[in-house]
Amino acid sequence: MTQTTHADVLGPASDPGGDRRPPRRAGRLARALAPLPWIGPATGLILFVVIWPVIAMFQTSREHYSSLGVLMGSAGWNNFTRLFDEADLGGVVMRTVIWVVAVVALTMLISLGVAQMFNKEFPGRRFARWALIAPWAASVVMTSIVFRWMLDPNNGVVYVLLKQLGLVKNFNTTDTGWLGNPTDAFWCAVFVAVFVSIPFTTYALLAGLQAVPADVYEAAKLDGASPLRTYWAVTLPLLRPALLVAALINVMNVFNSFPIIWELSGGGPGSQSATTTIFMYQLKQSSIGEAAAMSVVNFGFIIVIVLLFLRASKWNSAED
Amino acid sequence: MALTACSSSGSKSGSSASGNTTLKLLAPDYGTAGGPDSSQKYWQGIADDFHKANPTITVQVQTIAWTNWDQVATQLQNKQYPDILLGDAPQELAASGLLYPLTDVMSASTISNLIPVFAKQEESNGVAYGAPFTTSSRALFYNKKLFAAAKITDAPKTWTDIQNDAAKIKALGNGTIGYGLPLGPEEAQGESYLWMLGNGGGYVDSSGKYAINSAANIETFNFLTSMVKAGDTEPSPATVDRKDMWSAFGNGTVGMVGGSGALIPIIKTAGKLQTSDWAVTTMPGKSGPLTQALAVHDDITAFKSGGHAAQIKQFLDFAYADKYQIQFDNEYSLLPATTSASKSLSASDPVAAGFLATVPNAVVYPTNSNWNTVKTKIQQSIGTAAQGTDPSKVLGTLQTFASSN
């Protein structure tokens, strides 16, 4: 509207005069906008897939929804107060920290060894490398369900083996109730998480190992360095970029991991084997707003992890 | 993705120019999806008969397995409402203003045929917003083979009987479970209620206010904890779902379990126990059998969003015929929700008659408007009170949640 009026008033008078400034400005604008067709779709996608859900999540966390999804008005900070009043929350957060640290540390340690082995020539190496892909290629939900059945208190194959070894006296007793006991269930979940994280980590580290030039090792050998010393002073520092990437990708994956604990124990009994991701889902069943508040807190954790990642990669490129 | 979302979200189901109406009906599958006992077939049968009698109304049937029932919550949260829903009690839906009052969608003669104890359960502030469609009542199932092997002669009558019998049955070894106590998320509210009633407790007091952490209930869970600790139940009951415990009973490895008629087809399908190998008795209480059985019901509710009150009324009056009620009960060993169907079923089916006899005097779940939400919370956490966490703490948290939400 305003544009039309503007043109109507100024158009006839200014056009014949040939004022060149507006076209030039338009040209500059056009040049500035020239990349838009190329970056536009990606930007649009990010706005739609990342930014919009984040905004929706923050909004939901401040609103009061009935459990049927009907908006009952604003909740202020109530969802957060209720979340922080949850008796289980402290344990859940602690468990999440242990979960991330334990799974990532064990995965990195084991993968370092496996990658080192796979970097050596040995008969059947090709087969072994392929075999390692299996846990990675299989759906995590599927793997978790397989483990749940292996640990079925009535006839799980793990317990059958233990019984034949004389370590378990009877089925359907506390001997065979690992998944029902919060501590045992949690460590079973850690085991499964390590199991499914090793392939990716090993391949990432293997790629790093293969990138270490052979002449560095030759030089170390000439200088008379022991194998341990070579590993410590040559291999590990040169492996640092691969280690860093593998560790950080694992941290995020493990922090967000939902299916393993959910399939093994459902976070139960109660929330006693839940991490923050599982706890968020449990809350959703009775209170959407409180679950959104938990998501906001989780989002905060992720931001911290991302910042640490950015810092670490800066430190990495500076030293390289 | 976006396309499917758009096309399925048209909740204003079609009234075309020619005056034809399509009603959407959403129901749980009490049988197996795709199997001969699927509820999809049952409802499609009614829908076809109805369409023949009323050619201008088409009923579109969708059934969802109980194990995926949370999809329905998601559908409702996304405002994809059916016209008719079979499922949970109506109070929470009514409080959100989504439902027709029952009198708008069911004629007076059909309403007066509903079993009174359940019909009363459909009310919020004196107005009914739903109708019971199928019901069941709870009792104790026990394995006579295991009882004989453990040299137990009488059915248990008190908690102490259960405790002693369970200990003897467990001692048989081979992974035998004495008493199956499914306090996992699937239906913990039901199992807990059976035990609370045995001690004169319950979820609400006589005035209808929540009393989840009453002294009686705490004592009940202290007793359950002692049974779990002694190994008289399966290990870690807080993670065991009812369906798993029922199929274990069907496989003959459980001495006693709380069940409804719906357990009978499971026993038959498993094929391990003959009809003479198991029996049903009243659920024991602390000092004697329960005087009132726990009865549960699944309800029909009608949504306002489609604006088809008149057509829904025609369909519901049609579907509540004795013929369809009894067909459903024969299919799934559940009980009818209408007085006339109860009468004719009692005459023909002695097992159902036994369960039906307990119904008029039955105890039911609370009808507080937030019960569905509270129930979800109970399912999630009440089991921990029998598995090492202090019952007064667990029940106290639930009480606070129930009275503050």
Side-chain angles (χ1 to χ4, degrees):
Chain A
M1 267 290 276
T2 42
Q3 271 178 344
T4 349
T5 349
H6 184 75
D8 284 344
V9 176
L10 295 180
S14 55
D15 254 358
D19 183 2
R20 295 226 174 95
R21 234 177 261 155
R24 207 184 289 159
R25 207 183 291 155
R28 218 181 295 149
L29 190 69
R31 241 175 289 131
L33 290 180
L36 198 64
W38 283 269
I39 59 165
T43 315
L45 193 72
I46 289 175
L47 284 175
F48 180 69
V49 178
V50 180
I51 307 297
W52 178 56
V54 168
I55 294 171
M57 176 181 75
F58 273 96
Q59 278 173 344
T60 310
S61 73
R62 303 259 284 135
E63 275 161 351
H64 178 206
Y65 279 95
S66 79
S67 61
L68 293 165
V70 179
L71 184 56
M72 315 290 274
S74 168
W77 294 102
N78 274 352
N79 290 323
F80 287 90
T81 356
R82 273 171 40 197
L83 172 68
F84 294 126
D85 283 347
E86 290 282 348
D88 290 327
L89 185 69
V92 167
V93 171
M94 269 308 292
R95 206 169 301 115
T96 309
V97 173
I98 298 174
W99 166 253
V100 173
V101 171
V103 173
V104 175
L106 286 170
T107 304
M108 297 302 293
L109 272 178
I110 297 171
S111 297
L112 266 178
V114 178
Q116 200 68 45
M117 187 177 82
F118 279 5
N119 200 28
K120 292 271 174 286
E121 284 287 351
F122 62 90
R125 181 174 79 162
R126 178 182 299 213
F127 177 77
R129 281 188 181 179
W130 284 352
L132 188 71
I133 297 181
W136 191 8
S139 138
V140 177
V141 174
M142 192 180 89
T143 312
S144 308
I145 292 177
V146 167
F147 272 94
R148 189 180 71 203
W149 284 108
M150 284 162 65
L151 293 168
D152 183 81
N154 190 40
N155 52 15
V157 68
V158 172
Y159 299 129
V160 171
L161 178 72
L162 289 177
K163 185 158 190 258
Q164 283 168 355
L165 290 172
L167 295 171
V168 158
K169 279 192 217 83
N170 212 337
F171 296 114
N172 282 325
T173 61
T174 42
D175 285 357
T176 64
W178 295 358
L179 293 185
N181 171 319
T183 321
D184 295 351
F186 179 72
W187 289 106
C188 288
V190 168
F191 177 85
V192 176
V194 171
F195 178 77
V196 300
S197 307
I198 282 178
F200 161 75
T201 318
T202 302
Y203 277 96
L205 296 182
L206 184 59
L209 281 175
Q210 284 171 341
V212 177
D215 45 3
V216 196
Y217 287 116
E218 236 168 81
K221 211 172 187 181
L222 284 177
D223 288 344
S226 71
L228 202 66
R229 169 98 202 173
T230 312
Y231 189 73
W232 191 251
V234 178
T235 309
L236 273 185
L238 287 173
L239 210 50
R240 196 170 61 208
L243 274 173
L244 196 69
V245 169
L248 282 155
I249 289 180
N250 270 321
V251 165
M252 295 198 213
N253 265 343
V254 171
F255 177 80
N256 286 320
S257 169
F258 177 79
I260 299 173
I261 297 182
W262 185 253
E263 285 301 335
L264 286 184
S265 70
S271 304
Q272 294 170 10
S273 63
T275 60
T276 49
T277 313
I278 305 272
F279 193 56
M280 182 269 292
Y281 189 77
Q282 289 181 330
L283 289 175
K284 194 216 83 172
Q285 293 167 329
S286 49
S287 169
I288 297 170
E290 203 180 330
M294 184 74 243
S295 296
V296 168
V297 174
N298 273 342
F299 186 69
F301 284 136
I302 290 176
I303 294 288
V304 170
I305 296 173
V306 169
L307 288 178
L308 286 176
F309 173 75
L310 290 178
R311 247 197 110 141
S313 54
K314 205 169 167 194
W315 156 79
N316 192 41
S317 55
E319 293 230 344
D320 282 350
Chain B
M1 267 285 279
L3 281 179
T4 23
C6 289
S7 59
S8 65
S9 67
S11 61
K12 287 252 191 286
S13 33
S15 307
S16 71
S18 56
N20 288 333
T21 311
T22 305
L23 295 179
K24 283 190 190 161
L25 181 142
L26 181 59
D29 202 328
Y30 292 82
T32 317
D37 65 342
S38 169
S39 303
Q40 181 78 30
K41 286 194 175 157
Y42 169 81
W43 284 109
Q44 196 56 56
I46 301 184
D48 291 346
D49 294 354
F50 179 70
H51 187 65
K52 247 177 244 159
N54 302 275
T56 56
I57 308 174
T58 310
V59 179
Q60 212 179 75
V61 177
Q62 189 194 357
T63 54
I64 294 182
W66 272 127
T67 40
N68 295 335
W69 194 242
D70 54 347
Q71 285 176 10
V72 174
T74 311
Q75 280 194 24
L76 298 179
Q77 286 172 358
N78 290 332
K79 312 210 169 5
Q80 297 171 10
Y81 304 118
D83 291 294
I84 302 168
L85 173 72
L86 174 57
D88 289 327
Q91 279 79 12
E92 197 151 19
L93 292 161
S96 296
L98 298 171
L99 300 181
Y100 282 118
L102 185 60
T103 46
D104 287 9
V105 289
M106 195 178 266
S107 60
S109 59
T110 313
I111 295 177
S112 63
N113 191 24
L114 299 171
I115 297 176
V117 64
F118 297 120
K120 206 158 166 34
Q121 286 259 294
E122 309 293 331
E123 294 178 359
S124 312
N125 304 322
V127 182
Y129 284 94
F133 183 79
T134 180
T135 66
S136 64
S137 127
R138 296 292 163 85
L140 183 78
F141 282 65
Y142 63 98
N143 182 326
K144 281 158 74 180
K145 257 178 159 173
L146 292 177
F147 266 54
K151 303 196 171 56
I152 308 165
T153 47
D154 295 327
K157 293 196 170 49
T158 63
W159 284 1
T160 323
D161 289 349
I162 290 195
Q163 201 170 18
N164 295 339
D165 296 352
K168 286 181 200 162
I169 292 166
K170 174 199 67 172
L172 297 172
N174 290 327
T176 314
I177 296 168
Y179 179 85
L181 183 69
L183 289 176
E186 185 193 353
E187 229 235 352
Q189 88 282 7
E191 183 70 24
S192 307
Y193 203 14
L194 277 180
W195 286 92
M196 289 175 176
L197 291 171
N199 198 22
Y203 291 116
V204 291
D205 60 18
S206 51
S207 68
K209 287 212 180 82
Y210 281 108
I212 301 176
N213 62 343
S214 67
N217 289 345
I218 292 173
E219 193 191 350
T220 303
F221 273 91
N222 280 327
F223 176 77
L224 289 177
T225 306
S226 70
M227 284 212 351
V228 174
K229 266 200 192 129
D232 299 335
T233 69
E234 78 277 16
S236 39
T239 57
V240 178
D241 280 342
R242 179 183 64 168
K243 70 176 184 338
D244 298 325
M245 194 42 73
W246 280 8
S247 57
F249 185 86
N251 284 326
T253 55
V254 181
M256 295 167 275
V257 76
S260 71
L263 173 51
I264 298 170
I266 295 174
I267 298 174
K268 286 189 177 143
T269 313
K272 294 274 172 60
L273 296 177
Q274 303 307 310
T275 312
S276 57
D277 292 338
W278 55 271
V280 184
T281 184
T282 312
M283 181 73 195
K286 193 180 174 197
S287 48
L290 296 190
T291 49
Q292 290 179 296
L294 168 63
V296 301
H297 50 104
D298 293 331
D299 301 324
I300 290 275
T301 44
F303 285 75
K304 284 200 282 201
S305 54
H308 298 310
Q311 290 87 347
I312 297 174
K313 193 177 203 168
Q314 271 176 289
F315 178 74
L316 289 183
D317 285 342
F318 187 86
Y320 268 78
D322 285 3
K323 181 179 145 195
Y324 299 122
Q325 280 279 303
I326 290 170
Q327 185 194 342
F328 192 84
D329 303 320
N330 288 336
E331 183 83 58
Y332 304 112
S333 293
L334 292 167
L335 301 177
T338 64
T339 316
S340 57
S342 303
K343 273 189 192 136
S344 63
L345 190 69
S346 296
S348 65
D349 182 343
V351 181
F355 277 107
L356 275 168
T358 64
V359 163
N361 188 28
V363 200
V364 282
Y365 286 128
T367 51
N368 306 38
S369 66
N370 66 348
W371 167 246
N372 277 355
T373 309
V374 174
K375 184 184 77 181
T376 311
K377 203 79 177 172
I378 291 173
Q379 290 171 334
Q380 189 59 53
S381 64
I382 204 166
T384 56
Q387 202 182 320
T389 314
D390 181 7
S392 62
K393 223 178 189 174
V394 177
L395 300 179
T397 309
L398 285 170
Q399 172 72 13
T400 316
F401 179 85
S403 37
S404 70
N405 272 271

Short mmCIF file of all heavy atoms in Angstrom, two decimals, chain A residues 151-180:
data_model
loop_
_atom_site.label_atom_id
_atom_site.label_comp_id
_atom_site.label_asym_id
_atom_site.label_seq_id
_atom_site.Cartn_x
_atom_site.Cartn_y
_atom_site.Cartn_z
N LEU A 151 18.37 -61.61 29.12
CA LEU A 151 18.36 -61.44 30.57
C LEU A 151 16.95 -61.64 31.15
O LEU A 151 16.63 -61.14 32.22
CB LEU A 151 18.88 -60.03 30.92
CG LEU A 151 20.36 -59.82 30.61
CD1 LEU A 151 20.72 -58.34 30.69
CD2 LEU A 151 21.23 -60.61 31.57
N ASP A 152 16.10 -62.37 30.44
CA ASP A 152 14.76 -62.64 30.95
C ASP A 152 14.86 -63.50 32.22
O ASP A 152 15.53 -64.53 32.21
CB ASP A 152 13.95 -63.38 29.88
CG ASP A 152 12.52 -63.62 30.33
OD1 ASP A 152 11.72 -62.68 30.21
OD2 ASP A 152 12.22 -64.73 30.81
N PRO A 153 14.21 -63.06 33.31
CA PRO A 153 14.40 -63.77 34.59
C PRO A 153 13.94 -65.23 34.57
O PRO A 153 14.36 -66.03 35.39
CB PRO A 153 13.57 -62.96 35.59
CG PRO A 153 12.75 -62.03 34.79
CD PRO A 153 13.38 -61.87 33.45
N ASN A 154 13.06 -65.55 33.62
CA ASN A 154 12.52 -66.90 33.60
C ASN A 154 13.38 -67.88 32.81
O ASN A 154 13.54 -69.03 33.20
CB ASN A 154 11.10 -66.87 33.03
CG ASN A 154 10.38 -68.17 33.19
OD1 ASN A 154 10.49 -68.82 34.22
ND2 ASN A 154 9.66 -68.58 32.16
N ASN A 155 13.94 -67.43 31.69
CA ASN A 155 14.71 -68.37 30.86
C ASN A 155 15.76 -67.67 30.00
O ASN A 155 16.10 -68.17 28.93
CB ASN A 155 13.76 -69.17 29.96
CG ASN A 155 12.83 -68.26 29.19
OD1 ASN A 155 13.06 -67.06 29.11
ND2 ASN A 155 11.77 -68.82 28.63
N GLY A 156 16.24 -66.49 30.42
CA GLY A 156 17.24 -65.76 29.64
C GLY A 156 18.50 -66.61 29.45
O GLY A 156 18.94 -67.30 30.36
N VAL A 157 19.06 -66.53 28.24
CA VAL A 157 20.17 -67.42 27.89
C VAL A 157 21.39 -67.16 28.78
O VAL A 157 22.15 -68.08 29.11
CB VAL A 157 20.49 -67.30 26.38
CG1 VAL A 157 21.07 -65.95 26.06
CG2 VAL A 157 21.42 -68.40 25.95
N VAL A 158 21.57 -65.91 29.22
CA VAL A 158 22.70 -65.60 30.09
C VAL A 158 22.57 -66.36 31.41
O VAL A 158 23.53 -66.97 31.92
CB VAL A 158 22.78 -64.08 30.36
CG1 VAL A 158 23.81 -63.76 31.42
CG2 VAL A 158 23.08 -63.33 29.08
N TYR A 159 21.34 -66.36 31.95
CA TYR A 159 21.12 -67.05 33.22
C TYR A 159 21.21 -68.57 33.05
O TYR A 159 21.65 -69.27 33.96
CB TYR A 159 19.77 -66.67 33.81
CG TYR A 159 19.60 -65.21 34.11
CD1 TYR A 159 18.50 -64.50 33.65
CD2 TYR A 159 20.55 -64.52 34.87
CE1 TYR A 159 18.34 -63.16 33.92
CE2 TYR A 159 20.39 -63.18 35.15
CZ TYR A 159 19.28 -62.50 34.67
OH TYR A 159 19.12 -61.17 34.94
N VAL A 160 20.74 -69.06 31.87
CA VAL A 160 20.84 -70.50 31.63
C VAL A 160 22.31 -70.91 31.70
O VAL A 160 22.68 -71.90 32.35
CB VAL A 160 20.22 -70.86 30.26
CG1 VAL A 160 20.52 -72.31 29.91
CG2 VAL A 160 18.72 -70.62 30.27
N LEU A 161 23.17 -70.11 31.04
CA LEU A 161 24.60 -70.38 31.08
C LEU A 161 25.13 -70.34 32.51
O LEU A 161 25.82 -71.25 32.97
CB LEU A 161 25.34 -69.36 30.21
CG LEU A 161 26.85 -69.48 30.19
CD1 LEU A 161 27.24 -70.72 29.38
CD2 LEU A 161 27.50 -68.25 29.57
N LEU A 162 24.76 -69.27 33.24
CA LEU A 162 25.24 -69.12 34.61
C LEU A 162 24.75 -70.26 35.49
O LEU A 162 25.44 -70.71 36.40
CB LEU A 162 24.79 -67.78 35.20
CG LEU A 162 25.48 -66.55 34.61
CD1 LEU A 162 24.91 -65.28 35.22
CD2 LEU A 162 26.98 -66.61 34.84
N LYS A 163 23.53 -70.74 35.20
CA LYS A 163 23.00 -71.83 36.01
C LYS A 163 23.79 -73.11 35.76
O LYS A 163 24.12 -73.85 36.68
CB LYS A 163 21.51 -72.05 35.71
CG LYS A 163 20.88 -73.10 36.62
CD LYS A 163 19.38 -72.95 36.70
CE LYS A 163 18.81 -73.84 37.79
NZ LYS A 163 18.20 -75.05 37.28
N GLN A 164 24.12 -73.33 34.48
CA GLN A 164 24.88 -74.53 34.16
C GLN A 164 26.29 -74.45 34.75
O GLN A 164 26.90 -75.47 35.06
CB GLN A 164 24.92 -74.74 32.64
CG GLN A 164 23.60 -75.30 32.14
CD GLN A 164 23.46 -75.26 30.64
OE1 GLN A 164 24.33 -74.72 29.95
NE2 GLN A 164 22.37 -75.81 30.14
N LEU A 165 26.78 -73.23 34.91
CA LEU A 165 28.09 -73.07 35.56
C LEU A 165 27.95 -73.11 37.08
O LEU A 165 28.94 -73.01 37.80
CB LEU A 165 28.70 -71.72 35.15
CG LEU A 165 29.15 -71.63 33.69
CD1 LEU A 165 29.55 -70.19 33.36
CD2 LEU A 165 30.31 -72.57 33.43
N GLY A 166 26.72 -73.21 37.56
CA GLY A 166 26.51 -73.29 39.00
C GLY A 166 26.53 -71.95 39.70
O GLY A 166 26.59 -71.88 40.93
N LEU A 167 26.50 -70.84 38.94
CA LEU A 167 26.58 -69.52 39.57
C LEU A 167 25.20 -68.99 39.96
O LEU A 167 25.06 -68.09 40.77
CB LEU A 167 27.26 -68.53 38.63
CG LEU A 167 28.72 -68.87 38.34
CD1 LEU A 167 29.26 -67.98 37.24
CD2 LEU A 167 29.57 -68.70 39.60
N VAL A 168 24.16 -69.55 39.31
CA VAL A 168 22.80 -69.13 39.61
C VAL A 168 22.06 -70.37 40.09
O VAL A 168 22.14 -71.42 39.46
CB VAL A 168 22.14 -68.54 38.34
CG1 VAL A 168 20.64 -68.60 38.44
CG2 VAL A 168 22.60 -67.10 38.13
N LYS A 169 21.34 -70.22 41.23
CA LYS A 169 20.69 -71.41 41.78
C LYS A 169 19.35 -71.68 41.11
O LYS A 169 19.02 -72.80 40.79
CB LYS A 169 20.51 -71.25 43.29
CG LYS A 169 21.77 -71.58 44.06
CD LYS A 169 21.44 -71.69 45.55
CE LYS A 169 22.58 -71.14 46.39
NZ LYS A 169 22.55 -69.68 46.55
N ASN A 170 18.55 -70.63 40.92
CA ASN A 170 17.18 -70.87 40.45
C ASN A 170 16.71 -69.68 39.62
O ASN A 170 17.10 -68.54 39.89
CB ASN A 170 16.27 -71.07 41.65
CG ASN A 170 15.15 -72.03 41.34
OD1 ASN A 170 14.80 -72.22 40.17
ND2 ASN A 170 14.57 -72.61 42.36
N PHE A 171 15.84 -69.97 38.63
CA PHE A 171 15.26 -68.88 37.84
C PHE A 171 14.19 -68.17 38.66
O PHE A 171 13.71 -68.67 39.67
CB PHE A 171 14.65 -69.44 36.55
CG PHE A 171 15.68 -70.05 35.66
CD1 PHE A 171 15.68 -71.40 35.40
CD2 PHE A 171 16.66 -69.25 35.08
CE1 PHE A 171 16.64 -71.96 34.58
CE2 PHE A 171 17.62 -69.80 34.26
CZ PHE A 171 17.62 -71.16 34.01
N ASN A 172 13.80 -66.99 38.17
CA ASN A 172 12.76 -66.19 38.82
C ASN A 172 13.07 -65.89 40.28
O ASN A 172 12.18 -65.83 41.12
CB ASN A 172 11.40 -66.90 38.72
CG ASN A 172 10.79 -66.71 37.35
OD1 ASN A 172 10.95 -65.67 36.75
ND2 ASN A 172 10.13 -67.73 36.86
N THR A 173 14.35 -65.77 40.61
CA THR A 173 14.72 -65.31 41.95
C THR A 173 15.56 -64.04 41.75
O THR A 173 15.76 -63.61 40.62
CB THR A 173 15.57 -66.35 42.67
OG1 THR A 173 16.75 -66.54 41.88
CG2 THR A 173 14.85 -67.67 42.82
N THR A 174 16.02 -63.47 42.85
CA THR A 174 16.81 -62.25 42.70
C THR A 174 18.11 -62.51 41.95
O THR A 174 18.70 -61.61 41.38
CB THR A 174 17.14 -61.63 44.07
OG1 THR A 174 17.50 -62.70 44.95
CG2 THR A 174 15.96 -60.88 44.64
N ASP A 175 18.56 -63.78 41.92
CA ASP A 175 19.74 -64.12 41.14
C ASP A 175 19.57 -63.74 39.67
O ASP A 175 20.51 -63.40 38.98
CB ASP A 175 19.98 -65.65 41.18
CG ASP A 175 20.56 -66.08 42.50
OD1 ASP A 175 20.81 -65.19 43.34
OD2 ASP A 175 20.75 -67.29 42.70
N THR A 176 18.35 -63.90 39.18
CA THR A 176 18.10 -63.67 37.76
C THR A 176 17.32 -62.38 37.53
O THR A 176 16.70 -62.21 36.49
CB THR A 176 17.31 -64.85 37.14
OG1 THR A 176 16.03 -64.89 37.76
CG2 THR A 176 18.01 -66.16 37.35
N GLY A 177 17.34 -61.49 38.50
CA GLY A 177 16.54 -60.28 38.37
C GLY A 177 17.37 -59.04 38.07
O GLY A 177 17.03 -57.97 38.53
N TRP A 178 18.43 -59.19 37.29
CA TRP A 178 19.32 -58.04 37.05
C TRP A 178 18.57 -56.83 36.51
O TRP A 178 18.78 -55.71 36.96
CB TRP A 178 20.42 -58.41 36.05
CG TRP A 178 21.36 -59.44 36.55
CD1 TRP A 178 21.35 -60.03 37.78
CD2 TRP A 178 22.43 -60.04 35.83
NE1 TRP A 178 22.35 -60.95 37.87
CE2 TRP A 178 23.04 -60.97 36.68
CE3 TRP A 178 22.94 -59.87 34.54
CZ2 TRP A 178 24.13 -61.74 36.30
CZ3 TRP A 178 24.02 -60.63 34.15
CH2 TRP A 178 24.61 -61.56 35.02
N LEU A 179 17.67 -57.07 35.53
CA LEU A 179 17.02 -55.92 34.91
C LEU A 179 15.96 -55.29 35.81
O LEU A 179 15.49 -54.19 35.54
CB LEU A 179 16.39 -56.32 33.57
CG LEU A 179 17.40 -56.70 32.49
CD1 LEU A 179 16.70 -56.96 31.18
CD2 LEU A 179 18.44 -55.61 32.30
N GLY A 180 15.57 -55.98 36.87
CA GLY A 180 14.58 -55.40 37.77
C GLY A 180 15.23 -54.64 38.91
O GLY A 180 14.59 -53.87 39.60
#
